[in-house]
Amino acid sequence: MINKLTTLCAAMMLVSTATYANEQTVYQFPQVQSSSAVQLHMLEKDSVEYWQKVSGKELKRGVPLYVNQVDNFIRIAPKARFDSGEVFKPDDLQLDKLSIRDANSQLLSVQAAASQQKMQNAGFNDGSVGLRLGQVGAKAMLKTSQALNDSDTYLVHVIEKGSRNALHAKTQFKVEDQQQRLGIQLSMGQKRFKDKQVKLSLYSPKGEQLDVRYENGEAVLKYPLETLGAVNGYYELEASVKAVVNGQIVKRSIKMPFVHSSQTITMDNAKVTALGNNQYQAQVPVQVTDAGRYAIRATLTGMGDKGKRVKLATVEVAKQINGQDNFMMPFSVTKAAKAPFELVDIELTDQTRMLKFAGE
Amino acid sequence: MKIKTLSLVPALVLAAGISHSAFAAQGVAFVHGTGQQSDAYNDYWTGSFVDTVRQGLPNSSNYTVINCDFEQYMWADAASGCLAGQLTTFINNKNITDLTLITHSNGGNVVRWILSNPTWDSRYPNIISKVTRTIALAPSSGGTPLADAVIAGNSFEQSLGWLLGYGNDAVKQQQVSWMASYNAQWLYGTPNRPSLPSRFETVVGSDVESAVWDSDSYCGGYQNQVGLEVTQNWLDSCSDGFLNCSSQSLAGVVWFTDKSRTQGSEPLSHQQSRRNCFGLPNILKNRI
């Protein structure tokens, strides 16, 4: 019953809204919304995997594998390469031509193999094949006897599920405009990494590789970032490390997304007007740096019986804004309250570029 | 393309004081997961699934099967925009006032996008006001490490996804850290975030049977079961072969975990949770 009443309330708001400003999209939440933390500052992640690109020539000669536990899985996939304006996809890999050998070229046991079909059933529809190394401890080399093109590219991807040697990354999620340094803390247990032990790669939302280097816990970008917001996906920072743990070489890769942000919208003080019959309107002046569709979400508050500020209703409004403009926010409330009325928990959204900002 | 006109007819009816129940029309929409569908009724769900579930409606013709391009990011016009368009048409044509959404996998994320971003598109408020419940079958609310694995080392090829046919935006979106960022900023219904405006209840698949000798392994297609030997390298012990249980139960509330209600207490693999397996359609029929 309550749900139906709130639905009715929301629907009635749609009616009243239409008379305010036709070009706005307005939504009043059925209940007052709690403040949502719009600022995501850091992301953390662990990895027990590594991946590296190798050439056909290297794969024929032998590629070192860093596998330290029996619970492992090795995926090998053909990767496209771009040459003279054309995209080349390498030959498919033949599982029976792949072998893993030790430093003396003796065959190491392979416990299980996954064909292209089996890999495809698991979602790897890129021509991947898979192996599991049954014997660890020796220096392992992955090798093929297949007649691969020397310059073709393949991906070697190793996972050691449940490994105690996980690479932990904690990275800054939001990079402000013109900022060319991005915090990235990397650790493996108590171990920290020196600059020369970390190899970084940076990719734009479109997949372009950009120049970056690692320096004392930060990624240093050679050029300012170009793509604002998350609407086309995130930038990704990829770190690869190699460490010696208890005499064994452990290799790990990790990929962390982040967004390039700029304060594309700012607001001035809101003016709240009581219209009578529990109807209120907040006028919020805003300025934008880039034309687009923007939204504001805010909760109206007033003074309750005991002189305490009470939350009355939460509304979200969106419209196209090209420069200076006003959001007109209609509130329909059921609780009695007195002036002064104020907006709290304000959140601004750039819907065109997908950016979130805390209001003032 | 965002439509600027609000659909006001249902709201006007309500505002005029006409009883809601007098016009209540219950409907159900089937929302597929990742992929580009043109005949999801046959290709994604199968007719026996849909036709069983819709028998639970007072009027069994009040259903629609969504066909959209969910290889795009959930906010893309081809994804949530397409979904909004098809839901709006269904609501208007059938005068639906009480809408249940049945989603599978990434379809749950596209629906959560609409429910969490009410002004992103002017069609959203009307849809949100009609949706009374979402039944999310194996939703990828927390993403999957398999998406990370598929994408790993593929940055160059993603830019050529149109050419090579894989690594699409929906897969990128379902990487674990990407979903963590969306859940923290753009989507509702996960812990410490605002709640969704209507109930979002999940069905969790917890295991996969792939034994050749077990006929249960063949429901939904045996070939879909055997990938587990590979995917288990990336997944927890509790998973449906594609998603960890923790991801499936991250948003909303868990309605049930497969074995607690299915016939023979069988688990539902990721493929089986959208097929006529182990009495699932009947369980849904009795719920809507």
Side-chain angles (χ1 to χ4, degrees), chain A residues 48-68:
Chain A
V48 290
E49 301 172 56
Y50 80 84
W51 53 87
Q52 68 178 101
K53 282 190 178 155
V54 299
S55 66
K57 186 178 182 179
E58 288 171 307
L59 209 45
K60 286 186 285 186
R61 199 171 51 200
V63 174
L65 285 176
Y66 303 98
V67 179
N68 298 306

Side-chain angles (χ1 to χ4, degrees), chain A residues 38 79-80 161 234 293 297, chain B residues 119 154 157 181 185 188 235:
Chain A
V38 296
K79 295 286 106 184
K161 187 181 178 183
Y234 290 129
R293 185 175 167 89
R297 195 186 84 157
Chain B
T119 66
N154 270 351
E157 294 194 317
S181 75
Q185 293 200 120
Y188 293 166
L235 297 172

